[in-house]
Amino acid sequence: MFGRREPVPFAFVAEADRFRSNVTPPPRERSSVGQMAGRWLLGLTIVAGLVGSLVIGTPALTPGKTTDQPQQSQASDRR
């Protein structure tokens, strides 16, 4: 790229990095109250889901009481 230019099939591709437009884009449209409320509600739902899964999943990750006796199911007791 330093001093050596390879042929480009389209001239505008070669000059695309230097092109500046004098046309300004229109200003962005402001969000309505309903759209902003929907975004907040979606974000709150995602955060609540993550916190809820953490609260529910934490007890399963903590080691419980270890007993020396192996666990037996009630189905194996035939008395």
Side-chain angles (χ1 to χ4, degrees):
M1 289 207 160
F2 300 104
R4 178 181 153 200
R5 298 200 45 103
E6 297 180 6
V8 178
F10 300 103
F12 66 89
V13 174
E15 296 178 5
D17 57 344
R18 293 183 299 216
F19 179 74
R20 296 277 187 236
S21 175
N22 60 355
V23 178
T24 58
R28 290 186 60 177
E29 197 175 298
R30 289 185 52 95
S31 299
S32 68
V33 176
Q35 289 175 335
M36 290 180 65
R39 289 182 191 145
W40 273 97
L41 187 61
L42 178 65
L44 186 64
T45 303
I46 291 171
V47 170
L50 291 172
V51 170
S53 66
L54 184 66
V55 167
I56 291 172
T58 302
L61 296 175
T62 57
K65 294 189 306 183
T66 56
T67 58
D68 293 336
Q69 300 173 353
Q71 293 182 351
Q72 292 182 349
S73 66
Q74 292 178 353
S76 64
D77 293 337
R78 303 237 175 172
R79 295 182 186 170

